[in-house]
mmCIF file of all heavy atoms in Angstrom:
data_model
loop_
_atom_site.group_PDB
_atom_site.id
_atom_site.type_symbol
_atom_site.label_atom_id
_atom_site.label_comp_id
_atom_site.label_asym_id
_atom_site.label_seq_id
_atom_site.Cartn_x
_atom_site.Cartn_y
_atom_site.Cartn_z
ATOM 1 N N ALA I 70 97.541 98.167 70.127
ATOM 2 C CA ALA I 70 96.910 99.430 70.457
ATOM 3 C C ALA I 70 97.843 100.325 71.302
ATOM 4 O O ALA I 70 98.680 99.821 72.096
ATOM 5 C CB ALA I 70 95.612 99.185 71.303
ATOM 6 N N LEU I 71 97.768 101.643 71.036
ATOM 7 C CA LEU I 71 98.585 102.513 71.852
ATOM 8 C C LEU I 71 98.117 102.417 73.320
ATOM 9 O O LEU I 71 96.948 102.444 73.590
ATOM 10 C CB LEU I 71 98.362 103.998 71.346
ATOM 11 C CG LEU I 71 98.740 104.265 69.865
ATOM 12 C CD1 LEU I 71 98.301 105.666 69.498
ATOM 13 C CD2 LEU I 71 100.221 104.109 69.688
ATOM 14 N N PRO I 72 99.105 102.271 74.218
ATOM 15 C CA PRO I 72 98.680 102.135 75.633
ATOM 16 C C PRO I 72 98.046 103.450 76.171
ATOM 17 O O PRO I 72 98.563 104.496 76.029
ATOM 18 C CB PRO I 72 100.023 101.862 76.350
ATOM 19 C CG PRO I 72 101.068 102.364 75.463
ATOM 20 C CD PRO I 72 100.546 102.267 74.065
ATOM 21 N N ALA I 73 96.839 103.272 76.734
ATOM 22 C CA ALA I 73 96.104 104.429 77.169
ATOM 23 C C ALA I 73 96.432 104.745 78.651
ATOM 24 O O ALA I 73 96.277 105.854 79.080
ATOM 25 C CB ALA I 73 94.581 104.188 77.120
ATOM 26 N N ARG I 74 96.984 103.776 79.385
ATOM 27 C CA ARG I 74 97.259 103.990 80.782
ATOM 28 C C ARG I 74 98.572 104.732 80.974
ATOM 29 O O ARG I 74 99.620 104.319 80.410
ATOM 30 C CB ARG I 74 97.315 102.623 81.482
ATOM 31 C CG ARG I 74 97.386 102.735 82.980
ATOM 32 C CD ARG I 74 97.365 101.396 83.717
ATOM 33 N NE ARG I 74 97.795 101.537 85.060
ATOM 34 C CZ ARG I 74 98.468 100.648 85.705
ATOM 35 N NH1 ARG I 74 98.819 99.509 85.137
ATOM 36 N NH2 ARG I 74 98.789 100.852 87.008
ATOM 37 N N PRO I 75 98.558 105.821 81.713
ATOM 38 C CA PRO I 75 99.829 106.553 81.917
ATOM 39 C C PRO I 75 100.904 105.706 82.543
ATOM 40 O O PRO I 75 100.620 104.844 83.386
ATOM 41 C CB PRO I 75 99.387 107.671 82.916
ATOM 42 C CG PRO I 75 97.959 107.860 82.689
ATOM 43 C CD PRO I 75 97.430 106.498 82.359
ATOM 44 N N GLY I 76 102.122 105.951 82.129
ATOM 45 C CA GLY I 76 103.240 105.228 82.718
ATOM 46 C C GLY I 76 103.306 103.734 82.410
ATOM 47 O O GLY I 76 103.652 102.962 83.244
ATOM 48 N N THR I 77 102.988 103.448 81.156
ATOM 49 C CA THR I 77 103.072 102.002 80.743
ATOM 50 C C THR I 77 103.724 101.916 79.345
ATOM 51 O O THR I 77 103.828 102.862 78.646
ATOM 52 C CB THR I 77 101.694 101.322 80.677
ATOM 53 O OG1 THR I 77 100.875 102.071 79.758
ATOM 54 C CG2 THR I 77 101.010 101.325 82.005
ATOM 55 N N TRP I 78 104.176 100.705 79.040
ATOM 56 C CA TRP I 78 104.621 100.438 77.682
ATOM 57 C C TRP I 78 104.102 99.044 77.246
ATOM 58 O O TRP I 78 103.750 98.265 78.144
ATOM 59 C CB TRP I 78 106.124 100.479 77.509
ATOM 60 C CG TRP I 78 106.873 99.413 78.297
ATOM 61 C CD1 TRP I 78 107.347 99.520 79.550
ATOM 62 C CD2 TRP I 78 107.228 98.106 77.812
ATOM 63 N NE1 TRP I 78 107.976 98.358 79.943
ATOM 64 C CE2 TRP I 78 107.922 97.473 78.879
ATOM 65 C CE3 TRP I 78 107.033 97.414 76.616
ATOM 66 C CZ2 TRP I 78 108.399 96.175 78.766
ATOM 67 C CZ3 TRP I 78 107.540 96.123 76.489
ATOM 68 C CH2 TRP I 78 108.212 95.530 77.607
ATOM 69 N N VAL I 79 103.924 98.882 75.963
ATOM 70 C CA VAL I 79 103.504 97.554 75.477
ATOM 71 C C VAL I 79 104.450 97.083 74.364
ATOM 72 O O VAL I 79 105.112 97.885 73.704
ATOM 73 C CB VAL I 79 102.031 97.574 74.890
ATOM 74 C CG1 VAL I 79 101.045 97.911 75.958
ATOM 75 C CG2 VAL I 79 101.974 98.591 73.733
ATOM 76 N N ALA I 80 104.551 95.820 74.236
ATOM 77 C CA ALA I 80 105.461 95.223 73.154
ATOM 78 C C ALA I 80 104.674 95.177 71.855
ATOM 79 O O ALA I 80 103.454 94.974 71.889
ATOM 80 C CB ALA I 80 105.861 93.842 73.582
ATOM 81 N N THR I 81 105.374 95.395 70.768
ATOM 82 C CA THR I 81 104.707 95.217 69.452
ATOM 83 C C THR I 81 105.075 93.810 68.928
ATOM 84 O O THR I 81 106.073 93.233 69.296
ATOM 85 C CB THR I 81 105.221 96.257 68.434
ATOM 86 O OG1 THR I 81 106.568 96.013 68.158
ATOM 87 C CG2 THR I 81 105.103 97.671 68.981
ATOM 88 N N PRO I 82 104.258 93.248 68.003
ATOM 89 C CA PRO I 82 104.498 91.976 67.454
ATOM 90 C C PRO I 82 105.875 91.935 66.729
ATOM 91 O O PRO I 82 106.498 90.896 66.634
ATOM 92 C CB PRO I 82 103.358 91.789 66.443
ATOM 93 C CG PRO I 82 102.275 92.694 66.882
ATOM 94 C CD PRO I 82 102.960 93.844 67.531
ATOM 95 N N ALA I 83 106.320 93.106 66.223
ATOM 96 C CA ALA I 83 107.572 93.191 65.458
ATOM 97 C C ALA I 83 108.790 93.113 66.398
ATOM 98 O O ALA I 83 109.932 93.039 65.918
ATOM 99 C CB ALA I 83 107.627 94.438 64.652
ATOM 100 N N GLY I 84 108.601 93.163 67.696
ATOM 101 C CA GLY I 84 109.744 93.105 68.624
ATOM 102 C C GLY I 84 110.143 94.456 69.141
ATOM 103 O O GLY I 84 111.229 94.604 69.698
ATOM 104 N N GLY I 85 109.289 95.418 68.958
ATOM 105 C CA GLY I 85 109.558 96.794 69.494
ATOM 106 C C GLY I 85 108.729 97.059 70.710
ATOM 107 O O GLY I 85 108.084 96.182 71.315
ATOM 108 N N ARG I 86 108.696 98.360 71.058
ATOM 109 C CA ARG I 86 107.945 98.799 72.231
ATOM 110 C C ARG I 86 107.187 100.089 71.877
ATOM 111 O O ARG I 86 107.693 100.858 71.073
ATOM 112 C CB ARG I 86 108.799 99.089 73.433
ATOM 113 C CG ARG I 86 109.808 97.973 73.785
ATOM 114 C CD ARG I 86 110.480 98.295 75.073
ATOM 115 N NE ARG I 86 111.770 97.667 75.225
ATOM 116 C CZ ARG I 86 111.931 96.337 75.446
ATOM 117 N NH1 ARG I 86 110.875 95.594 75.568
ATOM 118 N NH2 ARG I 86 113.098 95.841 75.552
ATOM 119 N N VAL I 87 106.011 100.277 72.508
ATOM 120 C CA VAL I 87 105.264 101.539 72.395
ATOM 121 C C VAL I 87 105.214 102.067 73.814
ATOM 122 O O VAL I 87 104.561 101.413 74.703
ATOM 123 C CB VAL I 87 103.883 101.369 71.784
ATOM 124 C CG1 VAL I 87 103.243 102.739 71.622
ATOM 125 C CG2 VAL I 87 103.971 100.643 70.449
ATOM 126 N N VAL I 88 105.778 103.182 74.082
ATOM 127 C CA VAL I 88 105.873 103.756 75.420
ATOM 128 C C VAL I 88 104.966 104.938 75.540
ATOM 129 O O VAL I 88 104.932 105.856 74.664
ATOM 130 C CB VAL I 88 107.343 104.231 75.722
ATOM 131 C CG1 VAL I 88 107.432 104.683 77.174
ATOM 132 C CG2 VAL I 88 108.307 103.094 75.443
ATOM 133 N N TRP I 89 104.117 104.953 76.580
ATOM 134 C CA TRP I 89 103.268 106.114 76.864
ATOM 135 C C TRP I 89 104.129 107.271 77.285
ATOM 136 O O TRP I 89 104.889 107.220 78.267
ATOM 137 C CB TRP I 89 102.291 105.763 77.968
ATOM 138 C CG TRP I 89 101.282 106.831 78.277
ATOM 139 C CD1 TRP I 89 99.973 106.901 77.811
ATOM 140 C CD2 TRP I 89 101.432 107.925 79.220
ATOM 141 N NE1 TRP I 89 99.388 108.020 78.374
ATOM 142 C CE2 TRP I 89 100.204 108.645 79.276
ATOM 143 C CE3 TRP I 89 102.483 108.395 79.994
ATOM 144 C CZ2 TRP I 89 100.008 109.781 80.011
ATOM 145 C CZ3 TRP I 89 102.281 109.525 80.774
ATOM 146 C CH2 TRP I 89 101.049 110.199 80.787
ATOM 147 N N LEU I 90 104.066 108.417 76.611
ATOM 148 C CA LEU I 90 104.804 109.584 77.020
ATOM 149 C C LEU I 90 103.854 110.680 77.503
ATOM 150 O O LEU I 90 104.271 111.627 78.208
ATOM 151 C CB LEU I 90 105.654 110.166 75.890
ATOM 152 C CG LEU I 90 106.816 109.361 75.345
ATOM 153 C CD1 LEU I 90 107.573 110.108 74.316
ATOM 154 C CD2 LEU I 90 107.734 108.947 76.488
ATOM 155 N N GLY I 91 102.564 110.655 77.101
ATOM 156 C CA GLY I 91 101.629 111.642 77.464
ATOM 157 C C GLY I 91 100.245 111.186 77.034
ATOM 158 O O GLY I 91 100.160 110.186 76.275
ATOM 159 N N PRO I 92 99.187 111.872 77.398
ATOM 160 C CA PRO I 92 97.847 111.436 77.043
ATOM 161 C C PRO I 92 97.612 111.387 75.494
ATOM 162 O O PRO I 92 96.700 110.745 75.034
ATOM 163 C CB PRO I 92 96.926 112.411 77.692
ATOM 164 C CG PRO I 92 97.773 113.470 78.299
ATOM 165 C CD PRO I 92 99.197 113.013 78.299
ATOM 166 N N ASP I 93 98.451 112.125 74.761
ATOM 167 C CA ASP I 93 98.330 112.103 73.306
ATOM 168 C C ASP I 93 99.675 111.855 72.620
ATOM 169 O O ASP I 93 99.894 112.268 71.468
ATOM 170 C CB ASP I 93 97.691 113.388 72.762
ATOM 171 C CG ASP I 93 98.517 114.593 73.167
ATOM 172 O OD1 ASP I 93 99.525 114.424 73.857
ATOM 173 O OD2 ASP I 93 98.214 115.712 72.664
ATOM 174 N N GLU I 94 100.564 111.207 73.328
ATOM 175 C CA GLU I 94 101.980 111.155 72.845
ATOM 176 C C GLU I 94 102.558 109.791 73.209
ATOM 177 O O GLU I 94 102.506 109.376 74.336
ATOM 178 C CB GLU I 94 102.742 112.306 73.467
ATOM 179 C CG GLU I 94 104.177 112.435 72.969
ATOM 180 C CD GLU I 94 104.858 113.622 73.653
ATOM 181 O OE1 GLU I 94 104.266 114.313 74.408
ATOM 182 O OE2 GLU I 94 106.043 113.820 73.318
ATOM 183 N N TRP I 95 103.226 109.175 72.257
ATOM 184 C CA TRP I 95 103.831 107.868 72.474
ATOM 185 C C TRP I 95 105.201 107.825 71.768
ATOM 186 O O TRP I 95 105.441 108.559 70.820
ATOM 187 C CB TRP I 95 102.950 106.724 71.938
ATOM 188 C CG TRP I 95 101.692 106.540 72.688
ATOM 189 C CD1 TRP I 95 101.441 105.750 73.743
ATOM 190 C CD2 TRP I 95 100.470 107.278 72.461
ATOM 191 N NE1 TRP I 95 100.180 105.897 74.207
ATOM 192 C CE2 TRP I 95 99.541 106.829 73.427
ATOM 193 C CE3 TRP I 95 100.096 108.264 71.614
ATOM 194 C CZ2 TRP I 95 98.260 107.306 73.547
ATOM 195 C CZ3 TRP I 95 98.787 108.762 71.696
ATOM 196 C CH2 TRP I 95 97.847 108.271 72.652
ATOM 197 N N LEU I 96 106.034 106.946 72.264
ATOM 198 C CA LEU I 96 107.323 106.671 71.638
ATOM 199 C C LEU I 96 107.373 105.278 71.138
ATOM 200 O O LEU I 96 107.165 104.346 71.963
ATOM 201 C CB LEU I 96 108.456 106.978 72.658
ATOM 202 C CG LEU I 96 109.874 106.811 72.116
ATOM 203 C CD1 LEU I 96 110.163 107.910 71.119
ATOM 204 C CD2 LEU I 96 110.892 106.848 73.229
ATOM 205 N N VAL I 97 107.636 105.099 69.845
ATOM 206 C CA VAL I 97 107.685 103.774 69.284
ATOM 207 C C VAL I 97 109.137 103.442 69.120
ATOM 208 O O VAL I 97 109.905 104.154 68.475
ATOM 209 C CB VAL I 97 106.989 103.709 67.935
ATOM 210 C CG1 VAL I 97 107.134 102.287 67.312
ATOM 211 C CG2 VAL I 97 105.513 104.122 68.064
ATOM 212 N N LEU I 98 109.602 102.345 69.744
ATOM 213 C CA LEU I 98 111.001 101.877 69.623
ATOM 214 C C LEU I 98 110.960 100.554 68.839
ATOM 215 O O LEU I 98 110.185 99.696 69.169
ATOM 216 C CB LEU I 98 111.592 101.635 70.988
ATOM 217 C CG LEU I 98 111.647 102.838 71.937
ATOM 218 C CD1 LEU I 98 111.923 102.407 73.365
ATOM 219 C CD2 LEU I 98 112.745 103.763 71.490
ATOM 220 N N ASP I 99 111.796 100.470 67.876
ATOM 221 C CA ASP I 99 111.815 99.247 67.106
ATOM 222 C C ASP I 99 113.239 98.926 66.574
ATOM 223 O O ASP I 99 113.650 99.512 65.600
ATOM 224 C CB ASP I 99 110.837 99.323 65.901
ATOM 225 C CG ASP I 99 110.655 97.954 65.256
ATOM 226 O OD1 ASP I 99 111.458 97.049 65.518
ATOM 227 O OD2 ASP I 99 109.662 97.778 64.538
#
Side-chain angles (χ1 to χ4, degrees):
Chain I
L71 300 173
R74 189 178 165 211
T77 59
W78 66 269
V79 296
T81 68
R86 311 187 201 287
V87 185
V88 185
W89 184 96
L90 293 185
D93 60 354
E94 185 178 359
W95 293 266
L96 183 68
V97 179
L98 300 165
D99 192 344

